[in-house]
Amino acid sequence: MDKTSTQAEETTAPGEETAPAKETTAPADGTSAPAEETTAPADGTPAEQTTAPADGTPAPAEEAASHEVVNAEAAHDALTAVDPRLLVREQGLLGYWAEFKRKVHAGDLGSIPVVIGLAVIAVVFQLLNSNFLSAKNLTDIAVTMVGTGMMAVGIIFVLLLGEIDLSVGSVSGVSGAIVAVLSVTHGMNEWLALLVALVSGAAIGALHGFFFARIGAPAFAVTLAGLLFWLGFMLQLLGDNGTINLDGDGVVGQLTTYFFTDIAAAYGLAALAVAAYFLGAFTDNRRRAAAGIPSRPVADIVLRSVLLAVVAFAAAYMLNQDRGLPLALVIFLVVLVTTDFVLRRTAYGRKIFALGGSVEASRRAGINVTAVRVSVFALAGFFAAAGGLFWASKIAAANQSAGTGDLLMNVIAAAVIGGTSLFGGRGRTWNALLGALVIVSIQYGLALEGIRTPVVYMITGGVLLATVVIDSVTRKTQRTAGRA
């Protein structure tokens, strides 16, 4: 048979791989074959010979050459994406350790550093002062953190876009002033005044979003101007007196002073949280298994539920040792659950994460970038106004110092310390809870030791700087690992 038309034909058993044949055919003009022709090995294994198919498709050797690894070292160091559910299912407890090592190598530690930091803070301040972990002090921390945490939720939405809002402090002051002026000065129904304050906060945020998203002004500049403008607007609303006292038994006044004193309230909320988590995780697991995608073992869900139960019931026990379950904490937890659902389970939330990853890619995917951006800044304004109401309730007044001082820094610090990236695309609203706990715990611990305010500022600033540095290093690590 003529060599120019010969093509190696080999039959292999099922399940075996057929080595691509490599043969160089002699030119038709009778010249000698090129030197690259491969001869059969001396051990008698079949020669790897291939001729170009008659239909003109590339020979397997050419396809292999087109997929040649250029940087073998980088390919060797690259991380293989493995679903953690499979690790746990196949390796049991060792799967957790394998997943932890993979996350460390990829710079994806999530909330682990924050939890460790909280434990360290608790141990250090308890050793310095035995009252730090007392029921009264922990209850005070839980109530105080709500104002900062509520504002941090709105900041997290903005940070997910990779932007910043510097006006939330002033907007929180405006909301307190609006409630005080309408309900106290003008006698408006307090519920209606509260609604006006929240809607006003959302409208202010939407206005900032319009200048940023539609006009194209930088968010930093727009919100910095808003910080100054709304601060002046708040002072104008309060008038020459500068302070308007609120009714401590009113709607706003009871936001931070009302407690569910029945012990069943705190324990019931803990049981509800654990049951909701277990049912949600179990249902999601069944859906994943039915779809044929990786799912967690039931034992893993049970273990996580038990750990959550330990934390939840311990917190309920501590709260019941003092005044009971704070209304402020209940509202905050409801907000966290709702906003977390919006971000992780709705198309709107996926659009926010997509914008944080790449604006141009999101635009090409058909996302209305302008509408999403405006809505996110409106949410930031809404939650800033809500946080302002909790701060007004805390002091039972609206005054000229509302929204000033270190409030803005604490809110941004709470979001970033909790685990939200300053570079966009990574974070959860639960980060507001962890971050606010860190900030307020440090403040209360230092207050118990009688540390002066300037030192408190310096320590809080140092913690924020350390968190930003960790965030930057983590992002570089993820980029190196091909995850950013």
Side-chain angles (χ1 to χ4, degrees):
M1 186 178 293
D2 185 7
K3 186 177 181 180
T4 59
S5 61
T6 300
Q7 181 172 3
E9 297 181 1
E10 298 180 3
T11 305
T12 54
E16 296 180 358
E17 295 183 358
T18 306
K22 294 182 181 179
E23 179 184 298
T24 310
T25 58
D29 58 2
T31 58
S32 59
E36 291 85 350
E37 181 173 353
T38 305
T39 59
D43 59 4
T45 55
E48 297 180 353
Q49 299 177 354
T50 302
T51 54
D55 59 0
T57 57
E62 296 176 5
E63 293 182 2
S66 65
H67 293 83
E68 181 182 357
V69 178
V70 178
N71 191 341
E73 182 179 354
H76 175 73
D77 293 337
L79 293 178
T80 303
V82 179
D83 196 296
R85 301 174 185 85
L86 291 178
L87 285 174
V88 175
R89 181 179 293 279
E90 295 171 0
Q91 303 178 25
L93 293 177
L94 292 177
Y96 288 106
W97 177 246
E99 174 63 6
F100 176 75
K101 291 192 296 183
R102 187 194 67 81
K103 286 186 174 183
V104 170
H105 188 58
D108 183 20
L109 294 178
S111 300
I112 294 177
V114 190
V115 175
I116 295 175
L118 277 172
V120 172
I121 290 171
V123 171
V124 170
F125 283 121
Q126 179 65 15
L127 292 176
L128 293 175
N129 192 313
S130 59
N131 290 324
F132 182 79
L133 292 181
S134 66
K136 182 181 185 309
N137 193 58
L138 292 179
T139 301
D140 289 341
I141 290 175
V143 173
T144 303
M145 76 171 182
V146 173
T148 301
M150 196 73 74
M151 297 170 67
V153 170
I155 282 291
I156 286 173
F157 275 85
V158 177
L159 290 178
L160 287 175
L161 295 180
E163 302 297 338
I164 192 66
D165 188 345
L166 301 178
S167 66
V168 291
S170 297
V171 175
S172 70
V174 168
S175 71
I178 289 176
V179 167
V181 169
L182 292 180
S183 63
V184 177
T185 305
H186 297 287
M188 179 183 287
N189 178 275
E190 197 169 1
W191 280 104
L192 182 57
L194 185 148
L195 180 61
V196 171
L198 294 176
V199 172
S200 298
I204 291 171
L207 180 63
H208 295 162
F210 171 80
F211 283 107
F212 164 60
R214 176 65 70 179
I215 306 301
F220 177 88
V222 171
T223 56
L224 179 60
L227 181 154
L228 298 173
F229 181 87
W230 299 115
L231 176 59
F233 182 74
M234 177 192 72
L235 298 177
Q236 185 69 26
L237 280 178
L238 294 175
D240 296 333
N241 186 26
T243 299
I244 300 177
N245 294 324
L246 297 172
D247 181 8
D249 296 326
V251 176
V252 175
Q254 290 192 342
L255 286 177
T256 57
T257 59
Y258 186 84
F259 289 81
F260 299 94
T261 55
D262 191 339
I263 62 173
Y267 288 127
L269 181 61
L272 178 63
V274 174
Y277 173 81
F278 177 81
L279 291 176
F282 184 75
T283 303
D284 183 63
N285 218 44
R286 293 187 61 182
R287 286 200 302 264
R288 297 180 69 89
I293 55 180
S295 58
R296 297 187 184 278
V298 176
D300 179 50
I301 299 176
V302 172
L303 176 61
R304 290 168 177 262
S305 299
V306 170
L307 292 176
L308 176 61
V310 170
V311 175
F313 280 94
Y317 173 79
M318 293 300 297
L319 292 173
N320 282 331
Q321 297 307 302
D322 186 48
R323 286 156 285 176
L325 178 65
L327 172 64
L329 183 61
V330 175
I331 295 174
F332 187 36
L333 292 176
V334 170
V335 167
L336 290 176
V337 171
T338 304
T339 52
D340 183 69
F341 177 84
V342 169
L343 280 179
R344 298 196 304 118
R345 300 291 184 179
T346 66
Y348 175 72
R350 290 190 287 271
K351 290 176 182 178
I352 294 175
F353 280 106
L355 280 175
S358 173
V359 175
E360 184 58 31
S362 301
R363 183 179 287 109
R364 290 174 181 267
I367 296 176
N368 189 333
V369 175
T370 300
V372 173
R373 282 175 162 175
V374 171
S375 65
V376 165
F377 275 87
L379 283 173
F382 175 86
F383 285 113
L389 295 178
F390 281 94
W391 283 116
S393 173
K394 184 72 176 172
I395 62 175
N399 58 32
Q400 294 178 339
S401 63
T404 60
D406 61 345
L407 179 60
L408 174 61
M409 182 194 71
N410 288 340
V411 170
I412 297 176
V416 177
I417 290 172
T420 303
S421 176
L422 283 169
F423 303 98
R426 190 181 82 244
R428 295 180 60 179
T429 51
W430 286 99
N431 298 149
L433 172 63
L434 295 174
L437 265 177
V438 170
I439 292 295
V440 178
S441 296
I442 291 175
Q443 292 176 340
Y444 268 71
L446 295 175
L448 287 175
E449 292 302 303
I451 305 298
R452 296 180 304 159
T453 301
V455 179
V456 175
Y457 284 171
M458 290 188 286
I459 293 177
T460 307
V463 172
L464 176 58
L465 176 61
T467 305
V468 173
V469 170
I470 292 173
D471 184 33
S472 301
V473 172
T474 298
R475 185 173 178 83
K476 289 182 180 179
T477 305
Q478 290 179 336
R479 188 183 296 112
T480 302
R483 295 175 57 87

